[in-house]
Amino acid sequence: MENMKKRWRLYGLCLLSVCLMTACQKSEPEAKQDFWTETIEVLEEASKAKSYDSNAWEIGIQDASVVSDADHRSVHITWKDVNNAQETFSFSLENYGKPSIVYSYKKTMESDAKTIQDIAVVRSTDTAYQVYRASYQRNVYQDNICIDSTQQEVDIQIKDNRVEYENIPYLKEVMDKGDKLLTAFQKEFGIKYAKNGFVNLPAMIKDTNIVSMIDELETNASYTSYYSLPQINAKGHSLITSLDVKQDYSSVIYQVYDVEGQGYETRNMALEATSIENLYNMIPDYDAEVLYAVYFDGEAAYLYSQKQPAQEIYEDVQQGAVNALTVLNTSNPSGESYGTAY
């Protein structure tokens, strides 16, 4: 009888184990398809019926033969509806050794014969797509040569389903365009990212009222250009000195243009206020033979040596700037306008 009881207890334990295993299996949520894999599968199926380049989309998928993880190949997506001649935006799934979600924005502007290019990129840095690095870079070009560049980076993190971030120029534009692109992309290709584990940062951050920094950025980046008349050097070359002064008087681009040689000497310098109003010291980031001070007087700018006392510079300007090393004016022509011969 005792053996019979033990046998029934054993049967009962086995039956209970089976029931618990079945219950656990039923309680587990249905496995989600990875958003990356689904994106590739949907796009490759759709590519059989349409050419992306001839429609609203430009989409590139990395060849499976050149990667180790065929299900997580890099995908680059551009939606033409959010782009124009001055602005371009793209969304990418990048897997060049480390999977990441990337939003990229570029804006190009023309100002005072210069090309200003702004680039803002938001890139995930962790495997859970909860941490991002946002970077901003501004490049100023003249004659296809970069004469000035500034950079800035901040972190963006998702904590408890809330977004914590620091603002950078064009972050709002990146997220707004990202939200529009992802909405249109899912509708076009029948993908529902909310159901497959995709972390939609633009949708999460758009309700945080990011302040647009466009107006402030463009204002601070405006330059006033001053040009000298040609000055003949020892080699008989005509030299044009120019100053491109940032509107907030924080920095200046100093250039000397060789008319015959058609070449530039370009230096970026900070401007340091002196005790005299409108008089600034130009601070180079290199060892310079001559340290300049510049006095701004309306449309004119006068270059002096910093060895000359500030009060003497001010008094000379009041008497016609007869001792200025170089006199520049906004109304003078730029160096390129002289062509190859003066």
Side-chain angles (χ1 to χ4, degrees):
M1 180 63 70
E2 186 63 29
N3 289 336
M4 181 66 70
K5 290 182 179 179
K6 289 182 180 180
R7 193 175 292 114
W8 278 108
R9 289 195 192 99
L10 181 60
Y11 289 156
L13 289 173
C14 290
L15 181 60
L16 178 61
S17 298
V18 171
C19 293
L20 289 173
M21 291 177 62
T22 302
C24 289
Q25 289 176 353
K26 289 183 178 180
S27 63
E28 289 180 355
E30 184 178 348
K32 295 180 179 179
Q33 184 179 23
D34 177 67
F35 72 88
W36 202 308
T37 304
E38 182 182 2
T39 300
I40 292 177
E41 289 180 354
V42 169
L43 290 178
E44 288 190 326
E45 180 63 29
S47 66
K48 299 175 183 178
K50 64 176 68 177
S51 172
Y52 299 130
D53 290 342
S54 63
N55 292 279
W57 301 91
E58 291 180 359
I59 299 174
I61 304 175
Q62 192 176 31
D63 193 322
S65 65
V66 298
V67 294
S68 58
D69 186 358
D71 291 331
H72 295 84
R73 289 170 279 158
S74 295
V75 181
H76 185 81
I77 302 168
T78 297
W79 182 34
K80 297 178 183 178
D81 285 6
V82 297
N83 294 331
N84 55 48
Q86 288 76 38
E87 298 176 288
T88 57
F89 177 82
S90 63
F91 162 71
S92 302
L93 304 177
E94 292 186 1
N95 188 12
Y96 300 107
K98 181 180 180 180
S100 58
I101 299 173
V102 184
Y103 305 90
S104 302
Y105 173 82
K106 182 168 69 174
K107 181 175 182 178
T108 304
M109 300 173 288
E110 301 294 332
S111 176
D112 296 328
K114 297 177 180 63
T115 300
I116 301 173
Q117 186 181 81
D118 292 322
I119 301 173
V121 179
V122 177
R123 180 189 304 273
S124 65
T125 59
D126 68 326
T127 57
Y129 312 111
Q130 300 291 303
V131 182
Y132 296 78
R133 191 68 171 165
S135 63
Y136 162 76
Q137 181 170 345
R138 162 162 285 197
N139 299 318
V140 180
Y141 297 90
Q142 185 164 350
D143 296 330
N144 297 319
I145 299 174
C146 184
I147 60 175
D148 192 18
S149 183
T150 57
Q151 299 182 37
Q152 186 178 353
E153 290 187 334
V154 298
D155 289 322
I156 300 176
Q157 297 187 43
I158 300 174
K159 294 182 178 180
D160 299 324
N161 210 36
R162 296 182 60 184
V163 181
E164 297 180 359
Y165 68 94
E166 295 179 60
N167 202 2
I168 60 169
Y170 295 103
L171 178 60
K172 179 175 176 59
E173 286 66 37
V174 172
M175 294 292 96
D176 285 350
K177 289 181 181 292
D179 183 50
K180 291 178 180 177
L181 183 149
L182 289 170
T183 299
F185 178 72
Q186 293 177 81
K187 182 178 179 180
E188 175 79 12
F189 295 98
I191 297 176
K192 295 184 178 180
Y193 276 149
K195 296 183 178 181
N196 60 17
F198 179 73
V199 179
N200 195 331
L201 179 65
M204 297 177 67
I205 202 173
K206 71 178 183 179
D207 295 327
T208 60
N209 296 320
I210 305 175
V211 177
S212 175
M213 299 177 69
I214 285 185
D215 294 338
E216 178 183 351
L217 182 68
E218 292 181 350
T219 297
N220 290 340
S222 297
Y223 291 85
T224 301
S225 297
Y226 299 82
Y227 301 96
S228 73
L229 293 175
Q231 296 173 303
I232 309 301
N233 69 359
K235 296 181 180 180
H237 285 207
S238 306
L239 304 181
I240 308 294
T241 301
S242 67
L243 297 176
D244 293 329
V245 184
K246 194 169 282 190
Q247 192 174 44
D248 61 0
Y249 291 94
S250 62
S251 65
V252 61
I253 301 172
Y254 169 82
Q255 293 182 326
V256 177
Y257 180 71
D258 186 329
V259 175
E260 286 76 17
Q262 291 188 306
Y264 274 106
E265 175 191 344
T266 301
R267 301 292 186 183
N268 299 313
M269 303 188 193
L271 287 178
E272 179 184 73
T274 69
S275 58
I276 301 296
E277 187 178 6
N278 300 325
L279 179 63
Y280 296 82
N281 287 327
M282 295 166 56
I283 311 299
D285 57 1
Y286 61 97
D287 293 330
E289 294 182 3
V290 179
L291 294 177
Y292 291 107
V294 55
Y295 187 95
F296 297 103
D297 185 18
E299 295 182 353
Y302 306 103
L303 286 181
Y304 291 85
S305 169
Q306 289 184 23
K307 292 181 179 180
Q308 191 166 353
Q311 185 62 35
E312 287 186 10
I313 293 176
Y314 173 75
E315 292 174 357
D316 186 66
V317 170
Q318 304 310 307
Q319 297 172 12
V322 293
N323 294 314
L325 299 176
T326 306
V327 178
L328 306 93
N329 200 291
T330 58
S331 61
N332 288 336
S334 65
E336 297 92 327
S337 65
Y338 287 92
T340 58
Y342 167 60

